[in-house]
Amino acid sequence: MFRSTSTSLIVRGVLAIIIGIIAVVWPGVTILALVLLFAVYAFTDAVFEGARAFGSQRVWPVLGHLFLAVIDVAAGLVAVFWSAPTALVLTLIVGIWAIAAGASGIIAAFLRGESAGTRAMFIVSGLLSIAFGAIVVDRPVAGVLTIALMFGLFSIASGVTAIVQGDQLRRTGSVLRSVLPTAA
């Protein structure tokens, strides 16, 4: 499909920028897409849990996997039909995850035999993560919009990076072909 790695990097970068712009301009669409992606995950997991249930030879694992499949279907249906509450719950999960990750980073700073600079970076990044998580948990409506906007800005930045990398790779290939006629 693509003739070279550089072309695929450039195309990927352009697509990431387009997705990022959509996420920034229409954060509600981004949030809905994330909720629907969660619903797809839940329905897919339900299928796999159902398959695992019928692959088991004893009754309790069968019942356990069927129970998980029913929960997955219910979660998927809730995500599809009540997307706003699902978005808020997913946002709270992200906030709680950020708090836990920050606390883990701070603990890791003291458990490892790291240098003072590395330890300081663990602590600073842990405190930032805890602060972000606390804000998201305290104000989940603003948090869900912030997550959508951060996703958009990240996509734009990674898209620009991919385009620059693709251009640099293309230039490097041109230089190599001029220096070594038999190279790539």
Side-chain angles (χ1 to χ4, degrees), residues 49-174:
E49 287 295 338
R52 290 173 83 189
F54 292 109
S56 186
Q57 296 178 1
R58 294 184 307 174
V59 71
W60 290 114
V62 169
L63 293 176
H65 289 298
L66 286 176
F67 180 69
L68 289 175
V70 168
I71 290 174
D72 284 336
V73 169
L77 290 173
V78 167
V80 169
F81 292 110
W82 293 293
S83 57
T86 303
L88 289 177
V89 169
L90 291 174
T91 302
L92 290 172
I93 289 170
V94 168
I96 293 167
W97 169 79
I99 291 169
S104 297
I106 292 171
I107 291 168
F110 295 103
L111 293 180
R112 304 171 119 183
E114 301 292 347
S115 66
T118 303
R119 183 172 289 166
M121 289 303 273
F122 273 122
I123 293 170
V124 168
S125 65
L127 289 173
L128 287 173
S129 183
I130 289 171
F132 170 74
I135 292 168
V136 168
V137 168
D138 186 49
R139 303 193 189 278
V141 174
V144 73
L145 290 173
T146 302
I147 290 169
L149 293 174
M150 286 176 58
F151 170 75
L153 295 174
F154 174 78
S155 292
I156 291 169
S158 67
V160 169
T161 302
I163 290 171
V164 169
Q165 288 175 338
D167 182 55
Q168 288 176 346
L169 187 61
R170 187 170 282 172
R171 289 177 193 221
T172 302
S174 296

Side-chain angles (χ1 to χ4, degrees), residues 5-6 10 21 38-39 57 64 67 74 87 111 176:
T5 304
S6 63
I10 292 169
I21 290 170
F38 170 76
Q57 296 178 1
F67 180 69
L111 293 180
L176 282 176

